[in-house]
Every structure is written in C-alpha cells, then in structure tokens.
Amino acid sequence: MSHQLPSHQLPEHPDWLWRTPDPKRSYDVIIVGAGGHGLATAYYLARNHGITNVAVLERGWLAGGNMARNTTIIRSNYLCEESAALYEHALKLWEVLPQELDYDFLFSQRGVLNLAHTLQDVREGTRRVNANRLGGVDAEWLDPDQVREFCPIVNTSPDVRYPVLGATLQPRAGIAKHDHVAWALARRADAYGVDLIQGCEVTGFLREGDRVTGVRTNRGPISAGRVALAAAGHSSVLADLVGLRLPIQSHPLQALVSELLEPVHPTVVMSNHVHVYVSQAHKGELVMGAGVDSYNGYGQRGSFHLIEHQMAAALELFPIFARAHVLRTWGGIVDVTPDASPIIGPTPIENLYLNCGWGTGGFKATPSSGWVYAHTIATGEPHPLAEPFALERFTTGALIDEHGAAAVAH
C-alpha cells in the first residue's frame, strides 16, 4: 500500500501509515522512545545523514506519551540566546515541515501573548522582548490597551486580582495538531526504511566495558552501534539501568479541554504568574494548561487542587468562559533539570546519547530537537545549536537559566 498519499486523502486513524515490523537482531542506531523527538530524530537521521538502519523502540504506542499529552503551543521567545536559537530553529522548521512531509499539521501562527501582572513581570517581559529582537526573534511589547485590541476576550480591568499590566507578543508563534505531526514524521521515517516498533520495552542495556552495544527488551536483546535515549519523563529511569545518574526530576503536568465552542479566542494567552495558558483548538475546544504538581511522580494524572487554581485564574482572565463545561483532563510527565533547559548530547558512556530534560518545552522544540540530535548521533560531535546543552554543564556551572521564560513554574 502506498505511503505517499496526498494530505486530503489521509485517514483520521494512522494504523497503516507505517509498517509494524518485528525487531531485527542489529541496527546502526536504536532510538528509545517513539514520541515526537524520537520520530524527528529518526526522520533527520535518514533525510540529513543517510542513516536508515534505525529502529525506534516504544514500550507503549507510537506518540502515546507526552506527544499526546501536551497543549501544542509553539513559540521561540526564550530569554537566553542559546535557547532562543534552538527554539527559533524549530519555528523555522515548523514553517516548512507540512509541505516537506506532505501532511497538514493545522499549523496556525496565531501569535502567543505572555501576560504581565506585576512590575517584575513587566521588567522581565520587556527584557525578553529586547533580547529576542537582538537575537533575530520576532517580539513585541503590548500595553493593556493593545492587549485588549489583540485579544478582546482578555479581561484587562484594573480591578481584578491579577491585573494585566502588559504582555509580550510573538506574532509567528501558534499551535499545531500534535498527532498529525507524529504521524507525518512516522510515515516519512518508515518510508526511508526506519523500523518503528511499538510494544517493545527497553529493560536493560548490553555493554562491553564502558561501551554500550545494544539494549535488552521484552522482545529480546537487540545490538546497536549507537543507542539514543528520547524517553522524556522516563529518561532518568532508563539511565539508571546503565548506571548513569541524571540531574532530572520528573513531575506530573496536567491540562484540560472544554466542550466545543464557537470560535472566540484568536490567539494563545499564557500567564506565568497565575500558571494558566489558554488557546482554542481548530474544532473549538478551549485547551488549558496549568503548573506542574510539586511532587515527583510518573502517574499520568494531576492533582485536583491545581485544576481548581487553574480554573479560578482562567475565569478571572476570561469571564466569557464562565459557562463553558470541562470535557476532560489528562496528564503527562515532564522531566525537569535544575536550570529548566534540556540536555542533548553524548554521555560518559561510549555510544550512548541523551535527549531529555525539556520540561514543558518539548513539543515546540520537536523538529530542531530531532535535527540537532540526529547530527550529534551521526557525527559523534554535538551540533553547534546543541553544544551549550551538554550534560557537563551541571559540573562546569555553565547553566542556561530559563526558569523565567519557560512559561510554567518548574
């Protein structure tokens, strides 16, 4: 069956967009984790470097982890130049990928507003706008009247508990349909010959001295020239299996959607101060996210008290939503580093590579994460965009502190 149907003929369910092969005994590269980053890495290994003897192993179903459990926001307005460069590279790739992969992601560049509610928020926001402009990232500062003009449903009254004192705006930011992104990457990686193997859990590693030579799985051992972890919240658990301790804590992060509504919300609104962010999906649901649960855990659910706090804040900012009904909630697992920035690169164990620690920024980084990770795996040297995000920074002290620009408290 053809794997190259045009977008308008693509099915709602992706079962036949890729093969379901049994694992071979050996690969050049094994990627652990068939989420967005793992699939993008496989795609760019084949496309950019001609490496196609690759397996992507997923213990559950393809893109069933954080890829299916996020709020699909895409932006690049981070504060530090290292982060802004990485996320801006991703945004530029987002702008061409639907055509390149011949798959409609419903990528909508409707802009992202980051609200300021305190003088400290205003100082941080204007600093970030100036930093973004110096780095070539589109960014504007809006006063409350301009916020109301850009997004009329935001309550900009000065009498509310969290008054809006202004906002940063990135016009090129937006949202995309996450499952379409995963299916498109999987379809094209499969077409290159990459084996996408679901229901295959990594239970250990094959080693010869300080060198990894493969993985143990519930479907038997598989040898590999290189092993690349891309397992998001479970990265530290996997690394423990090979004796590598990571500076990562894993937390639940939840979100929710409302019933279907008429189009009322023209952009994406985020508020670091009250930990809520809201957009409207293409079908009409309001998509809302909150802060992480404070405890460590691997349960894919969040606490009720965060929903209560989130909804109270959302209704103060958006009184128009007062009669909307919550349809469902869900949770993912975010892997958080001490400086709220990812880890990408080689490890002290030969042939073992690491891509983790994205916190709440994983989805928006999907294409550039795959791009730089594929380069690093293929060449054995960090991609220039990924070099600052090496594991060694936690011993050298060259941290990339992005707590303020990460949108949700880490």
Side-chain angles (χ1 to χ4, degrees):
M1 185 174 288
S2 170
H3 295 276
Q4 302 296 325
L5 286 178
S7 297
H8 69 279
Q9 295 183 29
L10 291 171
E12 278 297 312
H13 199 279
D15 273 355
W16 51 266
L17 290 178
W18 52 86
R19 299 165 296 123
T20 55
D22 291 324
K24 297 187 295 190
R25 296 184 62 183
S26 176
Y27 291 92
D28 292 335
V29 178
I30 285 177
I31 299 169
V32 184
H37 289 207
L39 295 170
T41 303
Y43 168 64
Y44 285 120
L45 273 174
R47 175 190 180 276
N48 292 358
H49 305 281
I51 299 175
T52 59
N53 186 23
V54 176
V56 185
L57 309 183
E58 171 57 50
R59 71 171 186 168
W61 71 92
L62 187 144
N66 283 359
M67 189 66 175
R69 301 170 186 274
N70 68 86
T71 50
T72 76
I73 296 170
I74 294 168
R75 62 188 178 90
S76 63
N77 58 345
Y78 279 67
L79 175 64
C80 299
E81 60 183 17
E82 299 91 340
S83 308
L86 186 61
Y87 284 101
E88 178 62 15
H89 183 58
L91 184 48
K92 289 176 178 173
L93 291 173
W94 282 115
E95 290 171 331
V96 300
L97 265 180
Q99 183 175 5
E100 179 179 311
L101 298 178
D102 188 24
Y103 210 120
D104 186 3
F105 298 164
L106 302 179
F107 179 43
S108 169
Q109 291 179 286
R110 60 184 64 182
V112 169
L113 285 173
N114 289 82
L115 301 180
H117 302 285
T118 68
L119 290 177
Q120 179 59 33
D121 286 348
V122 172
R123 296 187 187 102
E124 190 280 329
T126 52
R127 179 190 179 201
R128 183 142 54 101
V129 166
N130 291 328
N132 288 159
R133 287 179 172 177
L134 288 171
V137 176
D138 58 316
E140 302 174 21
W141 175 256
L142 305 185
D143 63 28
D145 290 338
Q146 292 170 313
V147 170
R148 184 169 54 249
E149 182 179 352
F150 190 78
C151 186
I153 62 173
V154 173
N155 183 5
T156 55
S157 167
D159 300 327
V160 297
R161 182 168 44 154
Y162 305 110
V164 175
L165 303 183
T168 65
L169 168 64
Q170 184 177 23
R172 290 168 54 242
I175 60 174
K177 192 167 177 59
H178 47 11
D179 45 7
H180 282 205
V181 175
W183 300 345
L185 289 168
R187 181 180 67 143
R188 193 54 62 91
D190 175 86
Y192 276 120
V194 172
D195 284 352
L196 308 175
I197 304 170
Q198 303 175 73
C200 185
E201 181 177 4
V202 171
T203 58
F205 291 83
L206 305 175
R207 293 187 63 166
E208 292 180 3
D210 293 332
R211 183 163 58 99
V212 162
T213 59
V215 295
R216 303 183 189 279
T217 78
N218 61 342
R219 299 175 68 174
I222 310 172
S223 62
R226 286 150 287 182
V227 176
L229 306 186
H234 286 85
S235 295
S236 56
V237 177
L238 274 172
D240 274 347
L241 296 176
V242 74
L244 179 63
R245 187 175 182 187
L246 300 180
I248 282 179
Q249 295 190 41
S250 296
H251 298 264
L253 174 68
Q254 64 184 328
L256 58 87
V257 295
S258 75
E259 61 189 320
L260 300 180
L261 301 171
E262 293 294 323
V264 294
H265 191 12
T267 183
V268 181
V269 174
M270 313 181 74
S271 171
N272 298 23
H273 191 77
V274 296
H275 297 164
V276 69
Y277 41 106
V278 185
S279 66
Q280 187 166 22
H282 300 82
K283 288 194 299 184
E285 310 103 310
L286 298 172
V287 182
M288 290 179 270
V292 299
D293 278 284
S294 58
Y295 59 87
N296 296 138
Y298 298 96
Q300 292 175 319
R301 59 188 178 278
S303 301
F304 284 114
H305 75 277
L306 285 180
I307 296 177
E308 184 178 12
H309 177 78
Q310 169 189 11
M311 295 305 295
L315 290 182
E316 282 202 271
L317 291 172
F318 301 97
I320 192 175
F321 298 160
R323 297 176 67 84
H325 294 94
V326 172
L327 189 66
R328 61 187 172 89
T329 69
W330 68 91
I333 308 165
V334 292
D335 47 336
V336 181
T337 62
D339 61 356
S341 291
I343 303 169
I344 317 168
T347 71
I349 301 171
E350 188 177 353
N351 297 336
L352 181 67
Y353 297 83
L354 193 60
N355 177 353
C356 62
W358 291 89
T360 59
F363 177 72
K364 62 180 71 66
T366 297
S368 67
S369 166
W371 184 287
V372 301
Y373 201 29
H375 172 98
T376 304
I377 296 163
T379 66
E381 298 294 331
H383 187 282
L385 287 174
E387 198 166 2
F389 298 95
L391 181 61
E392 289 79 9
R393 73 178 188 273
F394 298 104
T395 53
T396 64
L399 302 179
I400 305 168
D401 185 359
E402 280 292 3
H403 288 89
V408 172
H410 282 169

